[in-house]
PDB file of all heavy atoms in Angstrom:
ATOM      1  N   VAL U 138       0.883  -1.181  -0.014  1.00 97.00           N
ATOM      2  CA  VAL U 138      -0.006  -0.014  -0.017  1.00 97.00           C
ATOM      3  C   VAL U 138       0.881   1.238   0.001  1.00 97.00           C
ATOM      4  O   VAL U 138       1.842   1.330   0.783  1.00 97.00           O
ATOM      5  CB  VAL U 138      -0.925  -0.015   1.212  1.00 97.00           C
ATOM      6  CG1 VAL U 138      -1.883   1.175   1.198  1.00 97.00           C
ATOM      7  CG2 VAL U 138      -1.743  -1.292   1.291  1.00 97.00           C
ATOM      8  N   PRO U 139       0.647   2.169  -0.866  1.00 97.00           N
ATOM      9  CA  PRO U 139       1.484   3.428  -0.924  1.00 97.00           C
ATOM     10  C   PRO U 139       1.415   4.204   0.378  1.00 97.00           C
ATOM     11  O   PRO U 139       0.481   4.108   1.173  1.00 97.00           O
ATOM     12  CB  PRO U 139       0.827   4.212  -2.042  1.00 97.00           C
ATOM     13  CG  PRO U 139       0.175   3.239  -2.908  1.00 97.00           C
ATOM     14  CD  PRO U 139      -0.363   2.195  -1.923  1.00 97.00           C
ATOM     15  N   LEU U 140       2.447   4.973   0.583  1.00 97.00           N
ATOM     16  CA  LEU U 140       2.533   5.867   1.758  1.00 97.00           C
ATOM     17  C   LEU U 140       1.544   6.997   1.642  1.00 97.00           C
ATOM     18  O   LEU U 140       1.059   7.322   0.556  1.00 97.00           O
ATOM     19  CB  LEU U 140       3.944   6.418   1.943  1.00 97.00           C
ATOM     20  CG  LEU U 140       5.087   5.385   2.158  1.00 97.00           C
ATOM     21  CD1 LEU U 140       6.407   6.180   2.334  1.00 97.00           C
ATOM     22  CD2 LEU U 140       4.829   4.499   3.339  1.00 97.00           C
ATOM     23  N   TYR U 141       1.302   7.609   2.792  1.00 95.00           N
ATOM     24  CA  TYR U 141       0.330   8.690   2.867  1.00 95.00           C
ATOM     25  C   TYR U 141       0.968   9.920   2.065  1.00 95.00           C
ATOM     26  O   TYR U 141       2.146  10.127   2.078  1.00 95.00           O
ATOM     27  CB  TYR U 141       0.042   9.120   4.277  1.00 95.00           C
ATOM     28  CG  TYR U 141      -0.839  10.340   4.407  1.00 95.00           C
ATOM     29  CD1 TYR U 141      -2.181  10.242   4.291  1.00 95.00           C
ATOM     30  CD2 TYR U 141      -0.231  11.603   4.590  1.00 95.00           C
ATOM     31  CE1 TYR U 141      -2.980  11.372   4.466  1.00 95.00           C
ATOM     32  CE2 TYR U 141      -1.020  12.738   4.755  1.00 95.00           C
ATOM     33  CZ  TYR U 141      -2.394  12.619   4.622  1.00 95.00           C
ATOM     34  OH  TYR U 141      -3.163  13.750   4.729  1.00 95.00           O
ATOM     35  N   ARG U 142       0.066  10.645   1.435  1.00 94.00           N
ATOM     36  CA  ARG U 142       0.435  11.935   0.820  1.00 94.00           C
ATOM     37  C   ARG U 142      -0.776  12.846   0.882  1.00 94.00           C
ATOM     38  O   ARG U 142      -1.910  12.362   1.104  1.00 94.00           O
ATOM     39  CB  ARG U 142       0.914  11.765  -0.629  1.00 94.00           C
ATOM     40  CG  ARG U 142      -0.090  11.461  -1.689  1.00 94.00           C
ATOM     41  CD  ARG U 142      -0.504  10.009  -1.684  1.00 94.00           C
ATOM     42  NE  ARG U 142       0.508   9.026  -1.645  1.00 94.00           N
ATOM     43  CZ  ARG U 142       1.204   8.549  -2.708  1.00 94.00           C
ATOM     44  NH1 ARG U 142       0.886   9.049  -3.897  1.00 94.00           N
ATOM     45  NH2 ARG U 142       2.140   7.645  -2.528  1.00 94.00           N
ATOM     46  N   LYS U 143      -0.585  14.118   0.776  1.00 93.00           N
ATOM     47  CA  LYS U 143      -1.704  15.084   0.820  1.00 93.00           C
ATOM     48  C   LYS U 143      -2.671  14.752  -0.345  1.00 93.00           C
ATOM     49  O   LYS U 143      -2.277  14.342  -1.464  1.00 93.00           O
ATOM     50  CB  LYS U 143      -1.197  16.492   0.667  1.00 93.00           C
ATOM     51  CG  LYS U 143      -0.325  16.979   1.855  1.00 93.00           C
ATOM     52  CD  LYS U 143       0.140  18.367   1.709  1.00 93.00           C
ATOM     53  CE  LYS U 143       0.936  18.857   2.876  1.00 93.00           C
ATOM     54  NZ  LYS U 143       1.421  20.261   2.721  1.00 93.00           N
ATOM     55  N   PRO U 144      -3.966  14.995  -0.158  1.00 92.00           N
ATOM     56  CA  PRO U 144      -4.926  14.824  -1.277  1.00 92.00           C
ATOM     57  C   PRO U 144      -4.528  15.668  -2.482  1.00 92.00           C
ATOM     58  O   PRO U 144      -3.981  16.720  -2.348  1.00 92.00           O
ATOM     59  CB  PRO U 144      -6.234  15.227  -0.635  1.00 92.00           C
ATOM     60  CG  PRO U 144      -6.043  15.068   0.824  1.00 92.00           C
ATOM     61  CD  PRO U 144      -4.605  15.372   1.097  1.00 92.00           C
ATOM     62  N   ALA U 145      -4.817  15.167  -3.639  1.00 91.00           N
ATOM     63  CA  ALA U 145      -4.549  15.846  -4.940  1.00 91.00           C
ATOM     64  C   ALA U 145      -3.082  16.009  -5.241  1.00 91.00           C
ATOM     65  O   ALA U 145      -2.695  16.793  -6.099  1.00 91.00           O
ATOM     66  CB  ALA U 145      -5.267  17.179  -4.934  1.00 91.00           C
ATOM     67  N   THR U 146      -2.173  15.219  -4.600  1.00 92.00           N
ATOM     68  CA  THR U 146      -0.800  15.256  -4.933  1.00 92.00           C
ATOM     69  C   THR U 146      -0.619  14.586  -6.329  1.00 92.00           C
ATOM     70  O   THR U 146      -0.872  13.395  -6.483  1.00 92.00           O
ATOM     71  CB  THR U 146       0.033  14.538  -3.916  1.00 92.00           C
ATOM     72  OG1 THR U 146      -0.111  15.166  -2.643  1.00 92.00           O
ATOM     73  CG2 THR U 146       1.524  14.548  -4.265  1.00 92.00           C
ATOM     74  N   PRO U 147      -0.111  15.282  -7.331  1.00 92.00           N
ATOM     75  CA  PRO U 147       0.000  14.702  -8.672  1.00 92.00           C
ATOM     76  C   PRO U 147       0.986  13.589  -8.736  1.00 92.00           C
ATOM     77  O   PRO U 147       1.982  13.548  -8.032  1.00 92.00           O
ATOM     78  CB  PRO U 147       0.422  15.867  -9.546  1.00 92.00           C
ATOM     79  CG  PRO U 147       1.049  16.868  -8.587  1.00 92.00           C
ATOM     80  CD  PRO U 147       0.359  16.733  -7.265  1.00 92.00           C
ATOM     81  N   CYS U 148       0.709  12.642  -9.677  1.00 93.00           N
ATOM     82  CA  CYS U 148       1.562  11.453  -9.782  1.00 93.00           C
ATOM     83  C   CYS U 148       2.560  11.599 -10.956  1.00 93.00           C
ATOM     84  O   CYS U 148       3.378  10.664 -11.134  1.00 93.00           O
ATOM     85  CB  CYS U 148       0.686  10.220 -10.039  1.00 93.00           C
ATOM     86  SG  CYS U 148      -0.216   9.673  -8.591  1.00 93.00           S
ATOM     87  N   GLY U 149       2.470  12.640 -11.740  1.00 91.00           N
ATOM     88  CA  GLY U 149       3.464  12.835 -12.771  1.00 91.00           C
ATOM     89  C   GLY U 149       2.983  12.463 -14.171  1.00 91.00           C
ATOM     90  O   GLY U 149       1.923  11.936 -14.364  1.00 91.00           O
ATOM     91  N   PRO U 150       3.799  12.726 -15.171  1.00 91.00           N
ATOM     92  CA  PRO U 150       3.356  12.541 -16.597  1.00 91.00           C
ATOM     93  C   PRO U 150       3.270  11.103 -17.034  1.00 91.00           C
ATOM     94  O   PRO U 150       2.727  10.855 -18.074  1.00 91.00           O
ATOM     95  CB  PRO U 150       4.472  13.306 -17.338  1.00 91.00           C
ATOM     96  CG  PRO U 150       5.690  13.228 -16.461  1.00 91.00           C
ATOM     97  CD  PRO U 150       5.162  13.276 -15.048  1.00 91.00           C
ATOM     98  N   LEU U 151       3.813  10.144 -16.294  1.00 94.00           N
ATOM     99  CA  LEU U 151       3.783   8.786 -16.722  1.00 94.00           C
ATOM    100  C   LEU U 151       2.529   8.013 -16.274  1.00 94.00           C
ATOM    101  O   LEU U 151       2.377   6.845 -16.633  1.00 94.00           O
ATOM    102  CB  LEU U 151       5.052   8.023 -16.236  1.00 94.00           C
ATOM    103  CG  LEU U 151       6.371   8.578 -16.724  1.00 94.00           C
ATOM    104  CD1 LEU U 151       7.532   7.742 -16.180  1.00 94.00           C
ATOM    105  CD2 LEU U 151       6.460   8.530 -18.253  1.00 94.00           C
ATOM    106  N   ARG U 152       1.661   8.674 -15.612  1.00 94.00           N
ATOM    107  CA  ARG U 152       0.386   8.040 -15.181  1.00 94.00           C
ATOM    108  C   ARG U 152      -0.490   7.920 -16.415  1.00 94.00           C
ATOM    109  O   ARG U 152      -0.706   8.874 -17.106  1.00 94.00           O
ATOM    110  CB  ARG U 152      -0.222   8.836 -14.055  1.00 94.00           C
ATOM    111  CG  ARG U 152      -1.447   8.140 -13.464  1.00 94.00           C
ATOM    112  CD  ARG U 152      -1.789   8.852 -12.107  1.00 94.00           C
ATOM    113  NE  ARG U 152      -2.976   8.314 -11.472  1.00 94.00           N
ATOM    114  CZ  ARG U 152      -2.975   7.224 -10.703  1.00 94.00           C
ATOM    115  NH1 ARG U 152      -1.849   6.576 -10.536  1.00 94.00           N
ATOM    116  NH2 ARG U 152      -4.098   6.789 -10.131  1.00 94.00           N
ATOM    117  N   GLU U 153      -1.112   6.768 -16.552  1.00 92.00           N
ATOM    118  CA  GLU U 153      -1.876   6.504 -17.776  1.00 92.00           C
ATOM    119  C   GLU U 153      -3.348   7.098 -17.707  1.00 92.00           C
ATOM    120  O   GLU U 153      -3.764   7.679 -18.679  1.00 92.00           O
ATOM    121  CB  GLU U 153      -1.987   4.996 -18.014  1.00 92.00           C
ATOM    122  CG  GLU U 153      -2.881   4.580 -19.158  1.00 92.00           C
ATOM    123  CD  GLU U 153      -3.002   3.130 -19.287  1.00 92.00           C
ATOM    124  OE1 GLU U 153      -2.128   2.357 -18.859  1.00 92.00           O
ATOM    125  OE2 GLU U 153      -4.077   2.633 -19.794  1.00 92.00           O
ATOM    126  N   ARG U 154      -3.946   6.940 -16.567  1.00 84.00           N
ATOM    127  CA  ARG U 154      -5.410   7.268 -16.530  1.00 84.00           C
ATOM    128  C   ARG U 154      -5.682   8.710 -16.848  1.00 84.00           C
ATOM    129  O   ARG U 154      -6.509   9.021 -17.708  1.00 84.00           O
ATOM    130  CB  ARG U 154      -5.962   6.892 -15.175  1.00 84.00           C
ATOM    131  CG  ARG U 154      -5.999   5.364 -14.902  1.00 84.00           C
ATOM    132  CD  ARG U 154      -6.370   5.141 -13.460  1.00 84.00           C
ATOM    133  NE  ARG U 154      -6.356   3.698 -13.169  1.00 84.00           N
ATOM    134  CZ  ARG U 154      -6.381   3.137 -11.973  1.00 84.00           C
ATOM    135  NH1 ARG U 154      -6.327   3.962 -10.890  1.00 84.00           N
ATOM    136  NH2 ARG U 154      -6.385   1.863 -11.829  1.00 84.00           N
ATOM    137  N   TYR U 155      -5.021   9.614 -16.144  1.00 84.00           N
ATOM    138  CA  TYR U 155      -5.245  11.033 -16.382  1.00 84.00           C
ATOM    139  C   TYR U 155      -3.918  11.713 -16.355  1.00 84.00           C
ATOM    140  O   TYR U 155      -3.268  11.963 -15.340  1.00 84.00           O
ATOM    141  CB  TYR U 155      -6.127  11.640 -15.238  1.00 84.00           C
ATOM    142  CG  TYR U 155      -7.510  10.966 -15.150  1.00 84.00           C
ATOM    143  CD1 TYR U 155      -7.807  10.120 -14.106  1.00 84.00           C
ATOM    144  CD2 TYR U 155      -8.464  11.215 -16.101  1.00 84.00           C
ATOM    145  CE1 TYR U 155      -9.041   9.525 -14.019  1.00 84.00           C
ATOM    146  CE2 TYR U 155      -9.708  10.632 -16.038  1.00 84.00           C
ATOM    147  CZ  TYR U 155     -10.000   9.793 -14.975  1.00 84.00           C
ATOM    148  OH  TYR U 155     -11.227   9.184 -14.907  1.00 84.00           O
ATOM    149  N   PRO U 156      -3.420  12.093 -17.591  1.00 80.00           N
ATOM    150  CA  PRO U 156      -2.174  12.830 -17.639  1.00 80.00           C
ATOM    151  C   PRO U 156      -2.301  14.134 -16.846  1.00 80.00           C
ATOM    152  O   PRO U 156      -3.375  14.650 -16.591  1.00 80.00           O
ATOM    153  CB  PRO U 156      -1.987  13.099 -19.143  1.00 80.00           C
ATOM    154  CG  PRO U 156      -2.792  12.031 -19.766  1.00 80.00           C
ATOM    155  CD  PRO U 156      -3.941  11.796 -18.839  1.00 80.00           C
ATOM    156  N   PRO U 157      -1.141  14.658 -16.349  1.00 77.00           N
ATOM    157  CA  PRO U 157      -1.223  15.886 -15.557  1.00 77.00           C
ATOM    158  C   PRO U 157      -1.761  17.073 -16.325  1.00 77.00           C
ATOM    159  O   PRO U 157      -1.610  17.162 -17.536  1.00 77.00           O
ATOM    160  CB  PRO U 157       0.222  16.099 -15.175  1.00 77.00           C
ATOM    161  CG  PRO U 157       1.050  15.406 -16.185  1.00 77.00           C
ATOM    162  CD  PRO U 157       0.232  14.169 -16.611  1.00 77.00           C
ATOM    163  N   SER U 158      -2.400  17.913 -15.590  1.00 70.00           N
ATOM    164  CA  SER U 158      -2.931  19.135 -16.210  1.00 70.00           C
ATOM    165  C   SER U 158      -1.818  20.073 -16.655  1.00 70.00           C
ATOM    166  O   SER U 158      -0.641  19.974 -16.145  1.00 70.00           O
ATOM    167  CB  SER U 158      -3.852  19.907 -15.197  1.00 70.00           C
ATOM    168  OG  SER U 158      -4.898  19.048 -14.742  1.00 70.00           O
ATOM    169  N   SER U 159      -2.119  20.878 -17.644  1.00 65.00           N
ATOM    170  CA  SER U 159      -1.031  21.813 -18.123  1.00 65.00           C
ATOM    171  C   SER U 159      -0.660  22.829 -17.029  1.00 65.00           C
ATOM    172  O   SER U 159      -1.444  23.217 -16.218  1.00 65.00           O
ATOM    173  CB  SER U 159      -1.571  22.503 -19.346  1.00 65.00           C
ATOM    174  OG  SER U 159      -2.770  23.294 -19.007  1.00 65.00           O
ATOM    175  N   GLY U 160       0.604  23.165 -17.030  1.00 60.00           N
ATOM    176  CA  GLY U 160       1.083  24.114 -16.070  1.00 60.00           C
ATOM    177  C   GLY U 160       1.765  23.523 -14.877  1.00 60.00           C
ATOM    178  O   GLY U 160       2.386  24.263 -14.103  1.00 60.00           O
ATOM    179  N   GLY U 161       1.790  22.208 -14.672  1.00 61.00           N
ATOM    180  CA  GLY U 161       2.472  21.608 -13.578  1.00 61.00           C
ATOM    181  C   GLY U 161       1.957  22.056 -12.233  1.00 61.00           C
ATOM    182  O   GLY U 161       2.701  22.532 -11.385  1.00 61.00           O
ATOM    183  N   LEU U 162       0.674  21.866 -11.988  1.00 68.00           N
ATOM    184  CA  LEU U 162       0.056  22.353 -10.741  1.00 68.00           C
ATOM    185  C   LEU U 162       0.579  21.476  -9.607  1.00 68.00           C
ATOM    186  O   LEU U 162       0.884  20.314  -9.708  1.00 68.00           O
ATOM    187  CB  LEU U 162      -1.487  22.239 -10.852  1.00 68.00           C
ATOM    188  CG  LEU U 162      -2.147  23.030 -11.941  1.00 68.00           C
ATOM    189  CD1 LEU U 162      -3.585  22.789 -11.974  1.00 68.00           C
ATOM    190  CD2 LEU U 162      -1.829  24.527 -11.837  1.00 68.00           C
ATOM    191  N   GLU U 163       0.630  22.126  -8.405  1.00 78.00           N
ATOM    192  CA  GLU U 163       0.996  21.365  -7.212  1.00 78.00           C
ATOM    193  C   GLU U 163      -0.113  20.419  -6.738  1.00 78.00           C
ATOM    194  O   GLU U 163       0.160  19.437  -5.986  1.00 78.00           O
ATOM    195  CB  GLU U 163       1.358  22.296  -6.092  1.00 78.00           C
ATOM    196  CG  GLU U 163       2.620  23.169  -6.345  1.00 78.00           C
ATOM    197  CD  GLU U 163       3.016  24.031  -5.189  1.00 78.00           C
ATOM    198  OE1 GLU U 163       2.341  23.901  -4.161  1.00 78.00           O
ATOM    199  OE2 GLU U 163       3.990  24.759  -5.255  1.00 78.00           O
ATOM    200  N   GLU U 164      -1.352  20.767  -7.080  1.00 84.00           N
ATOM    201  CA  GLU U 164      -2.481  19.864  -6.768  1.00 84.00           C
ATOM    202  C   GLU U 164      -3.220  19.566  -8.039  1.00 84.00           C
ATOM    203  O   GLU U 164      -3.598  20.447  -8.823  1.00 84.00           O
ATOM    204  CB  GLU U 164      -3.384  20.538  -5.762  1.00 84.00           C
ATOM    205  CG  GLU U 164      -2.763  20.775  -4.426  1.00 84.00           C
ATOM    206  CD  GLU U 164      -3.791  21.298  -3.405  1.00 84.00           C
ATOM    207  OE1 GLU U 164      -4.936  21.497  -3.791  1.00 84.00           O
ATOM    208  OE2 GLU U 164      -3.426  21.529  -2.221  1.00 84.00           O
ATOM    209  N   ASP U 165      -3.400  18.301  -8.262  1.00 86.00           N
ATOM    210  CA  ASP U 165      -4.098  17.833  -9.481  1.00 86.00           C
ATOM    211  C   ASP U 165      -4.980  16.634  -9.122  1.00 86.00           C
ATOM    212  O   ASP U 165      -4.423  15.494  -9.043  1.00 86.00           O
ATOM    213  CB  ASP U 165      -3.091  17.522 -10.620  1.00 86.00           C
ATOM    214  CG  ASP U 165      -3.754  17.280 -11.956  1.00 86.00           C
ATOM    215  OD1 ASP U 165      -5.022  17.153 -11.997  1.00 86.00           O
ATOM    216  OD2 ASP U 165      -3.028  17.267 -12.944  1.00 86.00           O
ATOM    217  N   GLU U 166      -6.206  16.801  -8.920  1.00 88.00           N
ATOM    218  CA  GLU U 166      -7.125  15.730  -8.413  1.00 88.00           C
ATOM    219  C   GLU U 166      -7.165  14.595  -9.318  1.00 88.00           C
ATOM    220  O   GLU U 166      -7.161  13.415  -8.908  1.00 88.00           O
ATOM    221  CB  GLU U 166      -8.470  16.344  -8.063  1.00 88.00           C
ATOM    222  CG  GLU U 166      -9.403  15.390  -7.439  1.00 88.00           C
ATOM    223  CD  GLU U 166      -9.023  15.045  -5.979  1.00 88.00           C
ATOM    224  OE1 GLU U 166      -8.450  15.977  -5.323  1.00 88.00           O
ATOM    225  OE2 GLU U 166      -9.240  13.916  -5.564  1.00 88.00           O
ATOM    226  N   ARG U 167      -7.262  14.842 -10.640  1.00 88.00           N
ATOM    227  CA  ARG U 167      -7.461  13.780 -11.582  1.00 88.00           C
ATOM    228  C   ARG U 167      -6.155  12.962 -11.728  1.00 88.00           C
ATOM    229  O   ARG U 167      -6.227  11.731 -11.974  1.00 88.00           O
ATOM    230  CB  ARG U 167      -7.822  14.361 -12.974  1.00 88.00           C
ATOM    231  CG  ARG U 167      -9.246  14.947 -12.966  1.00 88.00           C
ATOM    232  CD  ARG U 167      -9.483  15.736 -14.236  1.00 88.00           C
ATOM    233  NE  ARG U 167      -9.335  14.897 -15.435  1.00 88.00           N
ATOM    234  CZ  ARG U 167     -10.322  14.175 -15.974  1.00 88.00           C
ATOM    235  NH1 ARG U 167     -11.463  14.175 -15.395  1.00 88.00           N
ATOM    236  NH2 ARG U 167     -10.105  13.448 -17.045  1.00 88.00           N
ATOM    237  N   ASN U 168      -5.013  13.560 -11.607  1.00 90.00           N
ATOM    238  CA  ASN U 168      -3.751  12.860 -11.795  1.00 90.00           C
ATOM    239  C   ASN U 168      -3.192  12.220 -10.519  1.00 90.00           C
ATOM    240  O   ASN U 168      -2.179  11.528 -10.534  1.00 90.00           O
ATOM    241  CB  ASN U 168      -2.716  13.867 -12.341  1.00 90.00           C
ATOM    242  CG  ASN U 168      -1.394  13.227 -12.675  1.00 90.00           C
ATOM    243  OD1 ASN U 168      -0.373  13.463 -12.017  1.00 90.00           O
ATOM    244  ND2 ASN U 168      -1.379  12.381 -13.698  1.00 90.00           N
ATOM    245  N   ALA U 169      -3.931  12.357  -9.414  1.00 92.00           N
ATOM    246  CA  ALA U 169      -3.446  11.872  -8.100  1.00 92.00           C
ATOM    247  C   ALA U 169      -4.142  10.579  -7.717  1.00 92.00           C
ATOM    248  O   ALA U 169      -5.212  10.173  -8.266  1.00 92.00           O
ATOM    249  CB  ALA U 169      -3.712  12.969  -7.080  1.00 92.00           C
ATOM    250  N   LEU U 170      -3.522   9.913  -6.708  1.00 92.00           N
ATOM    251  CA  LEU U 170      -4.135   8.769  -6.064  1.00 92.00           C
ATOM    252  C   LEU U 170      -5.281   9.307  -5.196  1.00 92.00           C
ATOM    253  O   LEU U 170      -5.179  10.288  -4.469  1.00 92.00           O
ATOM    254  CB  LEU U 170      -3.173   8.066  -5.221  1.00 92.00           C
ATOM    255  CG  LEU U 170      -2.395   6.858  -5.778  1.00 92.00           C
ATOM    256  CD1 LEU U 170      -1.453   7.316  -6.846  1.00 92.00           C
ATOM    257  CD2 LEU U 170      -1.621   6.088  -4.698  1.00 92.00           C
ATOM    258  N   SER U 171      -6.435   8.626  -5.277  1.00 89.00           N
ATOM    259  CA  SER U 171      -7.553   8.988  -4.450  1.00 89.00           C
ATOM    260  C   SER U 171      -7.312   8.524  -2.990  1.00 89.00           C
ATOM    261  O   SER U 171      -6.837   7.401  -2.787  1.00 89.00           O
ATOM    262  CB  SER U 171      -8.848   8.421  -4.917  1.00 89.00           C
ATOM    263  OG  SER U 171      -8.789   6.996  -4.966  1.00 89.00           O
ATOM    264  N   ILE U 172      -7.644   9.345  -2.065  1.00 91.00           N
ATOM    265  CA  ILE U 172      -7.472   9.055  -0.650  1.00 91.00           C
ATOM    266  C   ILE U 172      -8.843   8.465  -0.183  1.00 91.00           C
ATOM    267  O   ILE U 172      -9.799   9.178   0.136  1.00 91.00           O
ATOM    268  CB  ILE U 172      -7.151  10.259   0.197  1.00 91.00           C
ATOM    269  CG1 ILE U 172      -5.939  10.983  -0.423  1.00 91.00           C
ATOM    270  CG2 ILE U 172      -6.841   9.838   1.635  1.00 91.00           C
ATOM    271  CD1 ILE U 172      -4.692  10.159  -0.548  1.00 91.00           C
ATOM    272  N   SER U 173      -9.006   7.180  -0.279  1.00 91.00           N
ATOM    273  CA  SER U 173     -10.246   6.505   0.067  1.00 91.00           C
ATOM    274  C   SER U 173     -10.030   5.160   0.606  1.00 91.00           C
ATOM    275  O   SER U 173      -8.897   4.626   0.594  1.00 91.00           O
ATOM    276  CB  SER U 173     -11.189   6.450  -1.211  1.00 91.00           C
ATOM    277  OG  SER U 173     -10.512   5.656  -2.202  1.00 91.00           O
ATOM    278  N   ALA U 174     -11.096   4.503   1.114  1.00 90.00           N
ATOM    279  CA  ALA U 174     -11.005   3.193   1.757  1.00 90.00           C
ATOM    280  C   ALA U 174     -12.334   2.527   1.576  1.00 90.00           C
ATOM    281  O   ALA U 174     -13.357   3.124   1.313  1.00 90.00           O
ATOM    282  CB  ALA U 174     -10.584   3.285   3.236  1.00 90.00           C
ATOM    283  N   GLY U 175     -12.335   1.185   1.768  1.00 90.00           N
ATOM    284  CA  GLY U 175     -13.576   0.343   1.680  1.00 90.00           C
ATOM    285  C   GLY U 175     -13.337  -0.961   2.214  1.00 90.00           C
ATOM    286  O   GLY U 175     -12.439  -1.256   3.004  1.00 90.00           O
ATOM    287  N   TYR U 176     -14.191  -1.917   1.742  1.00 90.00           N
ATOM    288  CA  TYR U 176     -14.086  -3.306   2.258  1.00 90.00           C
ATOM    289  C   TYR U 176     -12.765  -3.909   1.817  1.00 90.00           C
ATOM    290  O   TYR U 176     -12.457  -4.053   0.620  1.00 90.00           O
ATOM    291  CB  TYR U 176     -15.240  -4.138   1.650  1.00 90.00           C
ATOM    292  CG  TYR U 176     -15.132  -5.649   1.958  1.00 90.00           C
ATOM    293  CD1 TYR U 176     -15.321  -6.146   3.237  1.00 90.00           C
ATOM    294  CD2 TYR U 176     -14.769  -6.509   0.934  1.00 90.00           C
ATOM    295  CE1 TYR U 176     -15.211  -7.483   3.502  1.00 90.00           C
ATOM    296  CE2 TYR U 176     -14.637  -7.878   1.205  1.00 90.00           C
ATOM    297  CZ  TYR U 176     -14.868  -8.343   2.493  1.00 90.00           C
ATOM    298  OH  TYR U 176     -14.748  -9.701   2.744  1.00 90.00           O
ATOM    299  N   GLN U 177     -11.951  -4.240   2.796  1.00 91.00           N
ATOM    300  CA  GLN U 177     -10.664  -4.944   2.596  1.00 91.00           C
ATOM    301  C   GLN U 177      -9.688  -4.138   1.733  1.00 91.00           C
ATOM    302  O   GLN U 177      -8.826  -4.747   1.078  1.00 91.00           O
ATOM    303  CB  GLN U 177     -10.874  -6.337   1.981  1.00 91.00           C
ATOM    304  CG  GLN U 177     -11.694  -7.232   2.868  1.00 91.00           C
ATOM    305  CD  GLN U 177     -10.913  -7.896   4.037  1.00 91.00           C
ATOM    306  OE1 GLN U 177     -10.041  -7.246   4.573  1.00 91.00           O
ATOM    307  NE2 GLN U 177     -11.178  -9.129   4.305  1.00 91.00           N
ATOM    308  N   TYR U 178      -9.761  -2.790   1.672  1.00 92.00           N
ATOM    309  CA  TYR U 178      -8.791  -2.038   0.990  1.00 92.00           C
ATOM    310  C   TYR U 178      -8.705  -0.638   1.573  1.00 92.00           C
ATOM    311  O   TYR U 178      -9.637  -0.153   2.193  1.00 92.00           O
ATOM    312  CB  TYR U 178      -9.118  -1.976  -0.502  1.00 92.00           C
ATOM    313  CG  TYR U 178     -10.083  -0.888  -0.885  1.00 92.00           C
ATOM    314  CD1 TYR U 178      -9.676   0.364  -1.265  1.00 92.00           C
ATOM    315  CD2 TYR U 178     -11.475  -1.185  -0.883  1.00 92.00           C
ATOM    316  CE1 TYR U 178     -10.623   1.391  -1.656  1.00 92.00           C
ATOM    317  CE2 TYR U 178     -12.390  -0.200  -1.234  1.00 92.00           C
ATOM    318  CZ  TYR U 178     -11.937   1.070  -1.588  1.00 92.00           C
ATOM    319  OH  TYR U 178     -12.857   2.086  -1.925  1.00 92.00           O
TER     320      TYR U 178
END
């Protein structure tokens, strides 16, 4: 399981699902790991 990071921390240009937004924002919700939990995860 990845370490904790602030919400909306971007994952960089190599992420497939949502490439980073233009401008290199410090917060990018679509390009980041979602901070969530559920049954057995």
